[in-house]
């Protein structure tokens, strides 16, 4: 004998219970995100004061050592102390860059999202202008597709994302005699648009790709390439705010490809750049 159908009142109670549970889960996620943002803001702000003390007192110690008599200042002990100060200054500058990266993450997470149509080709051109100093004196071949779409995006945040991604492409192709950076459209299911940024640089070990977009994660030694490991974390945060996703594939010595999947507003077809 089959069980009787649930009553409408019972089904309504079940539905209301599920909605309440969903609301509680969403609130927990929102609270956790807010707590994380507040933590990042506090850390990035409150660390500035002790960092300033480190750098300023390092300068004062160097001045004191410089006032010593020449025969003492040239001694092994003083020279060793100056070496320690140089290492301290370098570490302090690196910590300052790390704090800058945390603050950029906070801004990207908390800034109002002002969505508007942005021509990707124009945004790429603007990012290249920003990165011109990093390209100076190099032979870089740019292959930018003519059919790049128009995205529904916050133009400031999209610009930050492109500067980070194209800046990485420039940085990691530095050892290559003929650098080549390609920006193209990729095929995706309806409701999304995708573009890729590909370079022929040094690449990285694909086994470590899972940590690539984490904060302070680096896949290369600092002696080889500068940076503190916050740029790709910023890209991920910007993409997530737009409902987009970013992923990277690479192999050592075979370059890197970054794929960005972007939602199409209201399910409309992506608009190509006018010729």
């Amino acid at each position: 004998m089959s069980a009787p159908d649930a009553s409408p009142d019972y089904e309504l109670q079940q539905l209301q219970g599920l909605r309440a549970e969903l609301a509680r889960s969403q609130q927990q996620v929102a609270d956790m995100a807010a707590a994380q943002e507040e933590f990042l803001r506090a850390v990035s702000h409150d660390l500035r004061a002790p960092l300033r003390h480190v750098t300023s007192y390092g300068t004062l110690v160097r001045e004191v050592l410089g006032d010593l008599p020449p025969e003492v200042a040239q001694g092994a002990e003083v020279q060793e102390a100056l070496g320690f100060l140089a290492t301290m200054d370098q570490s302090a500058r690196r910590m300052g860059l790390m704090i800058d990266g945390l603050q950029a993450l906070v801004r990207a997470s908390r800034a109002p999202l002002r969505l508007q149509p942005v021509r990707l080709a124009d945004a790429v051109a603007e990012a290249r202008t920003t990165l011109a100093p990093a390209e100076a004196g190099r032979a870089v071949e740019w292959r930018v597709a003519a059919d790049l779409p128009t995205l529904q995006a916050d133009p400031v945040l999209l610009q930050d994302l492109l500067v980070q991604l194209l800046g990485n492409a420039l940085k990691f192709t530095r050892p290559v005699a003929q650098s080549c950076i390609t920006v193209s459209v990729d095929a995706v299911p309806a409701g999304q648009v995708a573009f890729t940024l590909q370079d022929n640089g040094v690449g990285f070990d694909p086994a470590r790709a899972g940590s690539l977009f984490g904060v302070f994660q680096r896949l290369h030694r600092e002696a080889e390439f500068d940076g503190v490991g916050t740029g790709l974390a910023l890209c991920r945060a910007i993409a997530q705010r737009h409902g987009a996703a970013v992923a990277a594939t690479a192999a050592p010595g075979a370059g890197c490809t970054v794929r960005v999947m972007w939602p199409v507003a209201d399910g409309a077809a992506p608009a190509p750049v006018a010729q």
Side-chain angles (χ1 to χ4, degrees), residues 104 108 113 118 120 123-124 126-128 130-131 151-169 183 194-197 213 230-247 258-263:
L113 198 62
V118 180
L120 183 56
V124 169
E126 186 177 347
R128 287 183 57 185
T130 301
L131 294 166
L151 305 179
Q152 192 73 8
D154 183 298
V156 175
L157 292 179
L158 179 61
Q159 187 63 203
D160 288 342
L161 181 144
L162 290 173
V163 167
Q164 292 294 336
L165 294 181
L166 294 177
N168 275 351
V183 184
F195 60 96
T196 61
L197 300 92
F213 293 90
T230 58
L232 289 180
L234 175 62
C235 292
R236 182 181 62 176
I238 292 172
Q240 289 176 342
R241 287 213 63 191
H242 288 83
V246 57
V258 178
R259 188 170 189 254
V260 183
M261 295 186 63
W262 209 269

Side-chain angles (χ1 to χ4, degrees), residues 169 172-176 179-180 198-204 251-256:
F172 294 117
T173 56
R174 196 183 304 142
V176 180
S179 304
C180 181
Q198 186 174 15
D199 65 66
N200 63 339
V202 299
F204 58 83
C256 174

Side-chain angles (χ1 to χ4, degrees), residues 2 13 17 27-28 54 57 63 80 96 117 121 128 150 153 159 184 197 211 215-216:
S2 61
Q13 291 174 357
Q27 186 60 49
Q28 288 176 350
V54 171
Y57 276 93
E63 291 176 356
E80 184 179 25
R128 287 183 57 185
T150 294
Q159 187 63 203
S184 58
L197 300 92
S211 63
V215 180
F216 303 142

